[in-house]
Amino acid sequence: MEQEIKEPFNYLGYYDTYNMHQSIKNMTEEDWLYWTHRQEAFKDYHGSTKCIPILRDDSYSKNERGEETIFYNEFKKDIIKIEKYLNQVLGKGEIIRAEIPLLPAGTKVNPHYDDTESFVIQHRVHIPIITSPELIFTIDGIDKNLKIGEIWEIDNTKMHGVNNPSDIDRIHLIVDFKKAPSNLL
C-alpha cells in the first residue's frame, strides 16, 4: 500500500482549533517536558522542540493505534472530529498517532526526511494551532506558510524542515492517519 499523496503539500480543508488553543494555554512547562523522546531520539532535527503526546508510538513505526497518554482526554473531542473529517476526505481509516509539537521562537527543524515504513504508507497531517506569517515550512524545495486551522497532508518522506524566525512559538497538531485496507470483491 503506497501513500497516495503526489505533492509535498496537499490542502485538505479547515478545522476550528479554538478548543485546542484554549487547552494549550493551560499547559505548564512540566506538561511540555513530560515526554522528551521525540526531541531526544531525533535531536539533530527536533532537538529544540517540545511535545505534548496524545496517541504515542515512540518508534513511529507501528501501523496500529498508539497508546493514549495522560493528555488524550483533553484533546479527545478534537481527535474524534478530525478523524471523522479525514474519513470523509481521505477515505475510511483511523488516527493512529497524534502529538502537539512546539517549535520555539527563533529556532528551526533542520532539513530531514522520515523513512520508517509507517510514514511511507500513512498520511501525515499538520493542523497549525499557533503560528506566524514569518514561519516557513519547506518540503522538497517548496516553501509554504501554513495558516491556523488549515489541514495539510505533507509528504514527510521528502526532505523537509521548518524555520521559525518569528518571536512566537509555533504549535501544530500532527496526526498520522491509517487508511483501512480496501476490500477486494
Side-chain angles (χ1 to χ4, degrees):
M1 176 178 177
E2 288 199 21
Q3 202 172 15
E4 297 170 17
I5 188 168
K6 293 183 175 113
E7 299 295 322
F9 294 96
N10 183 20
Y11 179 74
L12 300 177
Y14 176 83
Y15 183 76
D16 183 351
T17 61
Y18 178 81
N19 290 333
M20 287 189 291
H21 187 252
Q22 294 306 308
S23 293
I24 286 167
K25 285 176 21 179
N26 294 324
M27 293 292 156
T28 66
E29 185 66 15
E30 184 177 275
D31 291 334
W32 284 107
L33 296 175
Y34 167 79
W35 183 63
T36 58
H37 174 77
R38 185 175 191 264
Q39 57 267 37
E40 290 170 359
F42 309 103
K43 79 175 160 187
D44 290 344
Y45 318 117
H46 299 294
S48 61
T49 66
K50 298 175 185 175
C51 192
I52 300 288
I54 301 169
L55 290 172
R56 179 176 147 190
D57 166 15
D58 288 355
S59 71
Y60 290 92
S61 64
K62 296 177 184 168
N63 289 315
E64 58 193 45
R65 186 176 165 94
E67 167 194 345
E68 292 179 7
T69 71
I70 63 171
F71 302 104
Y72 180 76
N73 285 335
E74 183 70 31
F75 296 97
K76 180 179 180 178
K77 288 180 184 175
D78 287 298
I79 295 299
I80 290 170
K81 287 179 187 175
I82 293 164
E83 184 174 79
K84 186 180 238 182
Y85 180 76
L86 293 176
N87 269 270
Q88 293 172 2
V89 297
L90 294 175
K92 186 174 175 149
E94 69 175 330
I95 291 174
I96 61 170
R97 284 183 291 272
E99 60 192 29
I100 300 177
L102 179 154
L103 179 62
T107 66
K108 61 182 162 177
V109 172
N110 290 322
H112 66 287
Y113 64 95
D114 301 321
D115 61 358
T116 69
E117 176 189 342
S118 185
F119 285 139
V120 172
I121 61 177
Q122 310 312 336
H123 298 265
R124 169 63 49 115
V125 176
H126 278 247
I127 303 174
I129 300 168
I130 299 173
T131 192
S132 161
E134 299 170 64
L135 201 130
I136 299 297
F137 198 137
T138 303
I139 304 174
D140 205 26
I142 298 171
D143 294 341
K144 192 165 288 292
N145 174 257
L146 311 183
K147 304 204 177 9
I148 292 172
E150 293 180 341
I151 304 170
W152 288 94
E153 180 181 13
I154 67 150
D155 188 344
N156 59 326
T157 65
K158 295 182 175 160
M159 189 63 68
H160 62 283
V162 183
N163 185 23
N164 183 5
S166 77
D167 59 358
I168 66 166
D169 296 339
R170 181 210 81 167
I171 300 175
H172 281 195
L173 170 68
I174 301 175
V175 300
D176 291 328
F177 184 77
K178 176 186 177 183
K179 285 182 70 172
S182 300
N183 290 334
L184 299 175
L185 299 176

